[in-house]
Protein backbone atom coordinates (compact mmCIF):
# COMPACT_ATOMS: atom_id res chain seq x y z
CA UNK A 1 0.00 0.00 0.00
CA UNK A 2 1.31 3.45 -0.90
CA UNK A 3 2.01 5.77 2.01
CA UNK A 4 -0.18 8.49 0.52
CA UNK A 5 -2.92 7.66 -1.98
CA UNK A 6 -5.04 9.93 -4.13
CA UNK A 7 -7.62 9.46 -6.84
CA UNK A 8 -5.75 10.63 -9.95
CA UNK A 9 -8.95 11.99 -11.57
CA UNK A 10 -9.47 13.98 -13.65
CA UNK A 11 -12.36 15.65 -11.90
CA UNK A 12 -14.20 17.60 -14.57
CA UNK A 13 -15.93 20.50 -12.83
CA UNK A 14 -18.25 23.14 -14.30
CA UNK A 15 -17.17 26.67 -13.54
CA UNK A 16 -18.85 27.86 -10.34
CA UNK A 17 -19.44 24.35 -8.99
CA UNK A 18 -18.01 22.73 -5.87
CA UNK A 19 -15.56 19.86 -6.00
CA UNK A 20 -14.13 17.79 -3.19
CA UNK A 21 -11.62 14.99 -3.06
CA UNK A 22 -9.77 12.99 -0.45
CA UNK A 23 -6.37 11.58 0.23
CA UNK A 24 -5.57 8.64 2.51
CA UNK A 25 -2.32 8.14 4.39
CA UNK A 26 -0.93 5.00 6.00
CA UNK A 27 1.35 6.33 8.75
CA UNK A 28 -0.78 6.94 11.82
CA UNK A 29 2.13 8.86 13.41
CA UNK A 30 2.05 11.56 10.72
CA UNK A 31 1.95 15.01 12.23
CA UNK A 32 1.85 17.52 9.39
CA UNK A 33 -0.46 17.62 6.41
CA UNK A 34 -0.51 19.87 3.39
CA UNK A 35 -2.15 20.43 0.06
CA UNK A 36 0.15 21.58 -2.73
CA UNK A 37 -0.92 22.75 -6.14
CA UNK A 38 1.01 21.93 -9.30
CA UNK A 39 0.28 23.52 -12.65
CA UNK A 40 1.23 21.73 -15.84
CA UNK A 41 5.02 21.58 -16.24
CA UNK A 42 5.56 23.78 -13.19
CA UNK A 43 6.86 23.23 -9.69
CA UNK A 44 4.56 22.34 -6.78
CA UNK A 45 3.51 25.26 -4.59
CA UNK A 46 1.99 25.18 -1.15
CA UNK A 47 -1.77 25.75 -1.29
CA UNK A 48 -2.52 25.32 2.40
CA UNK A 49 -1.58 23.46 5.52
CA UNK A 50 -4.21 21.21 7.07
CA UNK A 51 -4.92 21.65 10.75
CA UNK A 52 -6.61 19.19 13.11
CA UNK A 53 -9.72 21.31 13.48
CA UNK A 54 -10.02 21.93 9.76
CA UNK A 55 -9.27 25.23 8.11
CA UNK A 56 -10.43 27.48 5.35
CA UNK A 57 -8.61 29.79 2.99
CA UNK A 58 -11.00 31.70 0.80
CA UNK A 59 -12.78 29.21 -1.42
CA UNK A 60 -10.65 26.31 -0.20
CA UNK A 61 -11.48 24.17 2.84
CA UNK A 62 -9.25 21.41 4.18
CA UNK A 63 -10.24 18.77 6.70
CA UNK A 64 -8.28 16.14 8.60
CA UNK A 65 -9.77 12.89 9.88
CA UNK A 66 -7.14 11.19 12.00
CA UNK A 67 -9.37 8.26 12.97
CA UNK A 68 -9.84 7.24 9.34
CA UNK A 69 -6.48 8.62 8.24
CA UNK A 70 -7.55 10.87 5.44
CA UNK A 71 -7.50 14.53 4.53
CA UNK A 72 -9.84 16.30 2.18
CA UNK A 73 -9.87 19.42 0.05
CA UNK A 74 -13.03 21.20 -1.04
CA UNK A 75 -13.06 23.96 -3.62
CA UNK A 76 -16.15 26.18 -3.77
CA UNK A 77 -17.19 28.41 -6.67
CA UNK A 78 -14.57 26.82 -8.94
CA UNK A 79 -12.67 29.13 -11.28
CA UNK A 80 -11.01 28.23 -14.56
CA UNK A 81 -7.72 29.10 -12.87
CA UNK A 82 -8.29 26.31 -10.32
CA UNK A 83 -7.46 23.77 -13.03
CA UNK A 84 -4.34 22.04 -11.74
CA UNK A 85 -3.09 18.92 -10.04
CA UNK A 86 -3.54 18.93 -6.27
CA UNK A 87 -0.91 17.03 -4.30
CA UNK A 88 -1.59 15.62 -0.88
CA UNK A 89 1.52 15.79 1.30
CA UNK A 90 2.18 14.19 4.66
CA UNK A 91 5.20 14.16 6.92
CA UNK A 92 6.26 11.44 9.30
CA UNK A 93 6.77 11.57 13.01
CA UNK A 94 10.46 12.42 12.75
CA UNK A 95 12.44 14.75 10.58
CA UNK A 96 11.41 17.08 7.83
CA UNK A 97 10.83 14.50 5.12
CA UNK A 98 7.56 14.80 3.25
CA UNK A 99 5.72 12.07 1.37
CA UNK A 100 3.75 13.14 -1.68
CA UNK A 101 0.68 11.54 -3.15
CA UNK A 102 0.43 11.07 -6.89
CA UNK A 103 -1.93 14.02 -7.23
CA UNK A 104 -5.55 14.61 -8.18
CA UNK A 105 -6.12 16.41 -11.45
CA UNK A 106 -8.93 18.96 -11.54
CA UNK A 107 -10.21 20.47 -14.79
CA UNK A 108 -12.62 23.39 -14.48
CA UNK A 109 -14.60 24.00 -17.64
CA UNK A 110 -16.74 26.95 -18.74
CA UNK B 1 14.31 37.09 -3.39
CA UNK B 2 14.80 34.53 -6.14
CA UNK B 3 13.61 31.70 -3.88
CA UNK B 4 14.93 28.35 -5.12
CA UNK B 5 16.82 28.35 -8.41
CA UNK B 6 17.92 25.34 -10.46
CA UNK B 7 20.22 24.90 -13.43
CA UNK B 8 19.99 23.71 -16.10
CA UNK B 9 16.29 23.82 -17.04
CA UNK B 10 16.66 21.11 -19.69
CA UNK B 11 19.33 18.52 -20.40
CA UNK B 12 19.77 15.59 -22.76
CA UNK B 13 22.41 13.00 -21.93
CA UNK B 14 23.61 9.81 -23.50
CA UNK B 15 23.72 6.65 -21.41
CA UNK B 16 26.87 6.62 -19.32
CA UNK B 17 27.46 10.37 -19.33
CA UNK B 18 27.69 12.27 -16.07
CA UNK B 19 26.29 15.60 -15.01
CA UNK B 20 25.59 17.75 -11.98
CA UNK B 21 22.32 19.53 -11.30
CA UNK B 22 22.74 22.74 -9.35
CA UNK B 23 20.34 24.18 -6.79
CA UNK B 24 20.54 27.32 -4.66
CA UNK B 25 18.17 29.02 -2.24
CA UNK B 26 18.26 32.50 -0.76
CA UNK B 27 15.70 32.04 2.02
CA UNK B 28 18.23 31.03 4.69
CA UNK B 29 16.60 27.62 5.01
CA UNK B 30 18.46 24.85 6.77
CA UNK B 31 16.90 21.91 4.93
CA UNK B 32 17.27 21.14 1.26
CA UNK B 33 15.89 18.26 -0.84
CA UNK B 34 16.13 16.61 -4.23
CA UNK B 35 13.07 14.91 -5.73
CA UNK B 36 12.27 13.26 -8.99
CA UNK B 37 8.83 13.26 -10.54
CA UNK B 38 7.69 10.62 -12.99
CA UNK B 39 4.24 10.21 -14.54
CA UNK B 40 1.91 8.35 -12.19
CA UNK B 41 4.58 8.11 -9.46
CA UNK B 42 4.32 11.45 -7.75
CA UNK B 43 7.38 13.11 -6.26
CA UNK B 44 9.94 10.77 -4.76
CA UNK B 45 12.72 11.90 -2.46
CA UNK B 46 16.23 11.13 -3.72
CA UNK B 47 18.42 12.75 -1.07
CA UNK B 48 18.03 15.45 1.51
CA UNK B 49 20.18 17.61 3.74
CA UNK B 50 18.73 18.58 7.10
CA UNK B 51 21.50 21.11 7.68
CA UNK B 52 24.77 22.29 6.23
CA UNK B 53 27.31 19.47 6.36
CA UNK B 54 24.81 16.60 6.52
CA UNK B 55 23.15 14.53 3.81
CA UNK B 56 20.89 11.49 3.96
CA UNK B 57 19.35 9.06 1.53
CA UNK B 58 15.72 9.31 0.61
CA UNK B 59 13.44 6.81 -1.07
CA UNK B 60 15.33 6.41 -4.39
CA UNK B 61 19.05 7.26 -3.92
CA UNK B 62 20.65 4.65 -6.19
CA UNK B 63 22.60 6.16 -9.06
CA UNK B 64 22.87 9.60 -7.46
CA UNK B 65 25.22 11.51 -5.19
CA UNK B 66 24.76 14.87 -3.51
CA UNK B 67 26.87 17.63 -2.06
CA UNK B 68 25.73 20.28 0.39
CA UNK B 69 28.30 22.86 -0.64
CA UNK B 70 27.18 25.48 1.88
CA UNK B 71 23.91 26.61 3.42
CA UNK B 72 22.64 27.97 0.11
CA UNK B 73 23.67 25.28 -2.37
CA UNK B 74 22.80 21.59 -2.77
CA UNK B 75 23.90 19.76 -5.91
CA UNK B 76 22.83 16.41 -7.34
CA UNK B 77 25.23 14.34 -9.43
CA UNK B 78 24.52 11.52 -11.84
CA UNK B 79 27.79 9.64 -12.26
CA UNK B 80 26.70 7.35 -15.11
CA UNK B 81 23.31 8.28 -16.47
CA UNK B 82 20.80 5.57 -17.37
CA UNK B 83 17.52 5.84 -19.33
CA UNK B 84 15.66 5.04 -16.09
CA UNK B 85 16.87 8.40 -14.78
CA UNK B 86 14.86 10.28 -17.39
CA UNK B 87 12.64 12.42 -15.21
CA UNK B 88 11.88 15.89 -13.94
CA UNK B 89 14.09 16.80 -10.99
CA UNK B 90 12.98 19.30 -8.38
CA UNK B 91 15.07 20.86 -5.67
CA UNK B 92 13.31 22.19 -2.59
CA UNK B 93 14.22 23.94 0.63
CA UNK B 94 12.33 23.93 3.87
CA UNK B 95 11.72 25.80 7.05
CA UNK B 96 12.36 23.82 10.18
CA UNK B 97 9.35 24.72 12.25
CA UNK B 98 8.20 21.68 14.17
CA UNK B 99 4.88 20.43 12.89
CA UNK B 100 4.74 22.76 9.92
CA UNK B 101 7.71 22.08 7.67
CA UNK B 102 6.46 23.43 4.35
CA UNK B 103 8.84 23.27 1.44
CA UNK B 104 9.53 25.62 -1.44
CA UNK B 105 10.41 24.24 -4.84
CA UNK B 106 12.62 25.30 -7.69
CA UNK B 107 11.34 25.33 -11.29
CA UNK B 108 12.73 21.88 -12.09
CA UNK B 109 15.21 20.31 -14.49
CA UNK B 110 13.84 18.16 -17.30
CA UNK B 111 16.39 15.44 -17.97
CA UNK B 112 16.28 12.96 -20.83
CA UNK B 113 18.76 10.09 -20.99
CA UNK B 114 19.04 8.42 -24.39
Amino acid sequence: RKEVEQDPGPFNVPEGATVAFNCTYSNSASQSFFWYRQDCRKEPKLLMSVYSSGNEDGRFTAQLNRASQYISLLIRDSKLSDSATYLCVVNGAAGNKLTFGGGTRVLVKP
Amino acid sequence: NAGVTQTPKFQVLKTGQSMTLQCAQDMNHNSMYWYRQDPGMGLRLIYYSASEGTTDKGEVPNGYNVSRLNKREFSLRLESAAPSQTSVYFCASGRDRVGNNEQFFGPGTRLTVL
Side-chain angles (χ1 to χ4, degrees), chain A residues 34-37 44-49, chain B residues 100 102-104:
Chain A
F34 308 90
W35 283 105
Y36 277 70
R37 171 193 168 126
K45 293 184 179 179
L46 180 68
L47 177 67
M48 59 195 301
S49 302
Chain B
N100 192 12
E102 55 196 285
Q103 294 181 7
F104 299 82

Side-chain angles (χ1 to χ4, degrees), chain B residues 7-107:
Chain B
T7 55
K9 285 189 169 54
F10 301 92
Q11 184 71 50
V12 179
L13 293 177
K14 294 181 180 178
T15 296
Q17 287 185 316
S18 63
M19 77 162 295
T20 299
L21 282 64
Q22 306 287 352
C23 173
Q25 53 94 6
D26 62 1
M27 295 176 283
N28 201 35
H29 288 165
N30 287 320
S31 305
M32 296 186 74
Y33 308 82
W34 277 105
Y35 295 90
R36 60 178 289 174
Q37 187 174 33
D38 303 293
M41 298 293 290
L43 281 121
R44 291 182 292 168
L45 183 64
I46 304 171
Y47 270 94
Y48 69 102
S49 170
S51 62
E52 185 179 354
T54 67
T55 61
D56 284 287
K57 294 178 181 179
E59 183 185 350
V60 288
N62 291 346
Y64 305 95
N65 285 302
V66 290
S67 294
R68 184 74 184 268
L69 304 169
N70 48 55
K71 190 171 186 179
R72 290 186 64 249
E73 297 171 290
F74 188 38
S75 63
L76 178 72
R77 182 160 179 84
L78 286 70
E79 291 291 351
S80 179
S84 60
Q85 294 178 305
T86 293
S87 188
V88 181
Y89 291 85
F90 288 103
C91 176
S93 68
R95 300 172 178 166
D96 294 324
R97 292 183 295 182
V98 174
N100 192 12
N101 46 354
E102 55 196 285
Q103 294 181 7
F104 299 82
F105 286 80

Side-chain angles (χ1 to χ4, degrees), chain A residues 3-4 25-33 64 66 90-93:
Chain A
E3 285 191 57
V4 180
Y25 62 95
S26 61
N27 184 355
S28 60
S30 296
Q31 294 184 339
S32 300
F33 307 88
L64 168 63
R66 284 192 184 273
V90 175
N91 96 315

Side-chain angles (χ1 to χ4, degrees), chain A residues 63-84:
Chain A
Q63 297 280 354
L64 168 63
N65 186 317
R66 284 192 184 273
S68 300
Q69 293 183 209
Y70 73 87
I71 66 173
S72 64
L73 181 66
L74 181 146
I75 308 173
R76 285 186 303 277
D77 188 23
S78 297
K79 311 291 184 192
L80 297 177
S81 58
D82 294 334
S83 296

